[in-house]
Amino acid sequence: FRFASLQSDIAKKLMDKFNFDSSSLDTFVLIADNKLYTKSTAALLVGKKLKSPIKIIYLLIVLPKFLRDFVYDFTAKYRYKIFGRRDVCYIPENSTEKFLER
């Protein structure tokens, strides 16, 4: 996966390509197979590609999108109350070395 801030120039160009409102900064966006996905669909598709047991969450794709997006929006709104807040991101040991080996 390659990440870009929705405020970045490259993201704005990509959003324009898909006629997506780039001023909408309150969502998660995934571009895959020349399609743009948002919110729960984007998150589930990313989860499906991860090399861990978390990929099982992709099974939730069978739920109606309005229901999945409701849960996504609720979780996004209350994420700090649910998961807590940290001053720094956790980076596993040797993650830089593993990245550089590719």
Side-chain angles (χ1 to χ4, degrees):
F1 293 102
R2 295 181 184 176
F3 296 90
S5 166
L6 288 176
Q7 296 119 321
S8 69
D9 290 338
I10 188 72
K12 287 177 185 173
K13 289 177 186 175
L14 288 168
M15 299 304 112
D16 288 345
K17 178 182 175 184
F18 291 97
N19 295 319
F20 185 79
D21 181 9
S22 62
S23 67
S24 182
L25 302 176
D26 63 344
T27 191
F28 178 60
V29 175
L30 170 69
I31 297 173
D33 301 322
N34 209 29
K35 292 182 182 175
L36 184 139
Y37 304 94
T38 60
K39 296 189 178 191
S40 65
T41 304
L44 291 173
L45 288 169
V46 167
K48 180 182 178 185
K49 297 285 186 180
L50 297 178
K51 294 180 181 179
S52 72
I54 195 75
K55 64 180 14 179
I56 197 161
I57 68 165
Y58 180 72
L59 296 175
L60 297 174
I61 200 81
V62 299
L63 297 175
K65 183 172 174 28
F66 78 90
L67 183 60
R68 288 186 283 119
D69 282 350
F70 174 81
V71 172
Y72 176 92
D73 289 336
F74 179 87
T75 304
K77 184 175 182 177
Y78 297 105
R79 67 186 177 273
Y80 295 127
K81 289 183 180 183
I82 297 169
F83 302 110
R85 188 177 194 130
R86 301 211 162 118
D87 292 332
V88 295
C89 294
Y90 169 74
I91 300 175
E93 286 186 37
N94 301 323
S95 63
T96 304
E97 289 85 2
K98 289 178 184 177
F99 177 76
L100 294 174
E101 290 173 2
R102 294 181 188 173

